[in-house]
Amino acid sequence: MRMSNKNKLNITAYGGGLAFFSAISIFVIITFLGQTIFGLIFEQTSVEYIAICSTFSAIAFAIVSIYYGVKVKKPFENLFSINKFNPIHIVLTLILSAGMFFGLGFINTAFVELLKSVGITLSSSVVPLNNFGNFILFSILLAFIPAVFEEIFFRGVLLNSLNKVKTLIAAILVGGCFALYHCSLAQLIYQFIYGVLLCLLVKTAKSVIPAVISHFINNFAVILLEYYRVQIDLFNPIIIACGIALLVVFTILTLLILKKSSKPDYKKGEVKDFFLPCGVFGMVICLVLTLSVIFVGA
């Protein structure tokens, strides 16, 4: 991993790209081995199999994040931006969470329907939420754990590796990686927008904790509604308008706060270092996995 000449405690943009490639590679390897091994032990529709497989990405992110934390010899709370933050950012967190759910919650379903109209049917996994025990289990595995480890990795390791890049560009890069990592055509647009806005939230709060909270709320809301079989018409124009209004308010507030904050010394070539060669390799793997779903579901 290349280190900055000025401060060897920081992850460079090259290191961020390598971290992304490493995490995706480890995730693919663990998934292949895990699904092969546990597929021989459990039914693929069983609670045990789904629960175990849902931990693979968190394991990959944990391995890479811990490695980088040890490698740069920097306190984990600084490296991953696990810092105290102004309580006002909880308000921004709630605005973002509500805005994404109500304003853009329709996008995934709309995109799936669009793909169906051109003859592409995407396969979907079903989470067994048939009892309260499973509800608690998958709230932890699919809401809490991903919120913690994905935010530590994407808005901690990756975003910090791009400290020498302008905030909006860094947010777009990390948001793109975040969206591609999910390897889902249906979620691609939603996750990209959400990933970018989470970066702005972290940059504003100077802490990853508000992003963890927002991420958890986003995931948990889906599980909660599914468990209690509550249906909300996310295609309702009034709901969409209110949600988008919240997102506009969130974006304006975060950009105003960022405008007043001190700016780091930007450095040319950081984006190129992030992409070449490691970042591109990681993105290509994600794209291949994303597009392969089309043929699996066909």
Side-chain angles (χ1 to χ4, degrees):
M1 181 180 66
R2 297 177 187 173
M3 298 291 178
S4 169
N5 292 328
K6 291 184 179 181
N7 189 348
K8 294 185 178 181
L9 296 180
N10 292 330
I11 298 178
T12 62
Y14 175 87
L18 179 58
F20 180 65
F21 171 67
S22 300
I24 296 303
S25 299
I26 293 172
F27 171 57
V28 170
I29 293 171
I30 292 177
T31 299
F32 175 75
L33 294 176
Q35 289 182 346
T36 300
I37 295 171
F38 293 108
L40 297 174
I41 303 173
F42 305 108
E43 292 289 336
Q44 293 188 1
T45 56
S46 68
V47 173
E48 294 82 1
Y49 180 84
I50 297 173
I52 292 171
C53 291
S54 67
T55 65
F56 294 156
S57 63
I59 292 172
F61 291 138
I63 290 172
V64 175
S65 298
I66 291 172
Y67 170 80
Y68 272 73
V70 173
K71 187 74 174 179
V72 301
K73 298 178 181 179
K74 188 174 183 179
F76 277 27
E77 62 269 22
N78 294 335
L79 176 64
F80 305 141
S81 299
I82 306 175
N83 308 312
K84 293 181 180 179
F85 58 93
N86 192 314
I88 190 65
H89 290 98
I90 291 296
V91 177
L92 288 176
T93 298
L94 296 176
I95 292 174
L96 173 59
S97 301
M100 287 300 303
F101 184 80
F102 294 110
L104 300 181
F106 72 95
I107 285 183
N108 294 348
T109 302
F111 196 61
V112 169
E113 293 301 319
L114 177 63
L115 291 175
K116 283 184 179 179
S117 67
V118 295
I120 299 175
T121 302
L122 300 180
S123 58
S124 59
S125 57
V126 178
V127 179
L129 297 174
N130 52 337
N131 59 63
F132 187 72
N134 287 354
F135 168 69
I136 296 298
L137 174 64
F138 287 105
S139 292
I140 295 172
L141 294 178
L142 299 180
F144 178 73
I145 291 178
V148 172
F149 287 99
E150 288 178 23
E151 291 311 313
I152 284 177
F153 181 77
F154 286 101
R155 258 63 65 174
V157 174
L158 289 198
L159 192 58
N160 278 333
S161 76
L162 295 168
N163 271 336
K164 297 294 183 179
V165 177
K166 290 185 177 180
T167 300
L168 284 178
I169 295 177
I172 290 171
L173 287 177
V174 175
C177 290
F178 180 68
L180 288 172
Y181 140 73
H182 286 84
C183 300
S184 170
L185 276 176
Q187 298 181 33
L188 193 62
I189 298 174
Y190 183 93
Q191 297 293 2
F192 173 69
I193 297 173
Y194 194 31
V196 171
L197 295 180
L198 283 172
C199 288
L200 296 182
L201 177 62
V202 170
K203 283 289 188 179
T204 303
K206 295 181 174 59
S207 173
V208 77
I209 297 176
V212 171
I213 296 172
S214 177
H215 198 146
F216 171 76
I217 292 173
N218 185 279
N219 291 355
F220 182 67
V222 176
I223 295 173
L224 186 67
L225 294 176
E226 181 67 23
Y227 177 70
Y228 285 103
R229 301 184 184 279
V230 176
Q231 293 186 349
I232 299 176
D233 183 12
L234 296 178
F235 285 88
N236 186 308
I238 296 177
I239 292 178
I240 294 174
C242 291
I244 291 178
L246 289 174
L247 292 178
V248 171
V249 170
F250 170 84
T251 304
I252 291 174
L253 290 176
T254 52
L255 291 179
L256 286 175
I257 294 172
L258 288 171
K259 187 176 181 179
K260 295 180 180 179
S261 61
S262 58
K263 298 180 181 179
D265 295 327
Y266 299 127
K267 182 179 177 182
K268 291 184 178 180
E270 293 290 277
V271 174
K272 179 181 178 182
D273 286 345
F274 181 85
F275 275 114
L276 301 176
C278 301
V280 168
F281 288 155
M283 290 181 175
V284 168
I285 293 174
C286 290
L287 280 173
V288 170
L289 293 174
T290 300
L291 296 177
S292 66
V293 175
I294 296 176
F295 302 101
V296 172

